[in-house]
Amino acid sequence: APKVCDGRRRHPAPRLPSAAVDLPDAVDPAVGLATVAAALADGPFAVMLTDPDLDPPGPRITHFNKAGEAMTGYPLAELVGRSPRVFQSPATDRRELDRLRAALAGGRIYSGELVNLTRAGHEYRVRLTVTPVRHRGRTVAFLSYQTRVDDPAARQRAEARLRTVLG
């Protein structure tokens, strides 16, 4: 498995989606996205859905699960309609942000690490995978799975919850 560095030792990266999500043609995209959000609401990793508009002020957050609220300190009510840029730290590597945008603009999956800020202004390192959600070949949203890599205990709890969920 790929390794993630937390500054002290290396950890296996969580297994995250490796393919774009394709909603069935017969499903209304809004219903499909709401179903995806509901299915992931209690998951072990922070999960966010955004609209597909990459130009500022977008993309806009439409869903954020409980694990994301716990990781960032932001309640969902404060995030809906805001851009994920709210999490960006001045320490975030600009080249990594450019790589993220290029992948999403090209309809590709992004996987990498960023330095983010909690609501209280504390920096943390996050490993994330962002994948396009498509309907009839058109990107209708982006789905992001995130986990902290600078907090081994939090990572272990998330992985234990994932093992429980997956059986």
Side-chain angles (χ1 to χ4, degrees):
K3 300 289 185 180
V4 176
C5 180
D6 68 4
R8 294 181 295 274
R9 62 182 195 177
R10 297 182 66 76
H11 303 284
R15 292 194 180 147
L16 301 170
S18 59
V21 175
D22 288 305
L23 299 174
D25 286 350
V27 172
D28 178 275
V31 172
L33 291 171
T35 302
V36 168
L40 300 171
D42 293 320
F45 298 107
V47 178
M48 180 183 351
L49 277 168
T50 68
D51 69 24
D53 186 8
L54 295 176
D55 294 323
R60 292 181 182 93
I61 298 168
T62 58
H63 296 88
F64 199 53
N65 73 349
K66 293 174 189 173
E69 290 180 355
M71 182 171 69
T72 66
Y74 282 96
L76 174 62
E78 284 186 32
L79 291 174
V80 170
R82 294 180 74 183
S83 170
R85 292 179 185 94
V86 69
F87 303 118
Q88 286 179 8
S89 163
T92 300
D93 182 345
R94 182 73 240 170
R95 291 170 301 182
E96 197 63 24
L97 293 172
D98 292 343
R99 200 170 74 82
L100 167 62
R101 181 179 173 85
L104 299 182
R108 297 182 309 277
I109 295 169
Y110 166 84
S111 186
E113 287 185 21
L114 301 174
V115 178
N116 279 350
L117 292 173
T118 65
R119 184 173 186 253
H122 303 289
E123 287 186 345
Y124 64 98
R125 292 195 65 77
V126 65
R127 172 106 180 129
L128 68 152
T129 297
V130 185
T131 184
V133 178
R134 297 185 180 122
H135 183 258
R136 298 182 179 163
R138 183 177 61 88
T139 299
V140 295
F142 292 107
L143 173 64
S144 170
Y145 287 79
Q146 307 169 28
T147 188
R148 284 186 67 156
V149 295
D150 60 354
D151 183 349
R155 180 188 54 79
Q156 289 169 349
R157 286 190 303 274
E159 289 175 353
R161 282 188 67 199
L162 182 60
R163 283 191 297 276
T164 301
V165 168
L166 296 177

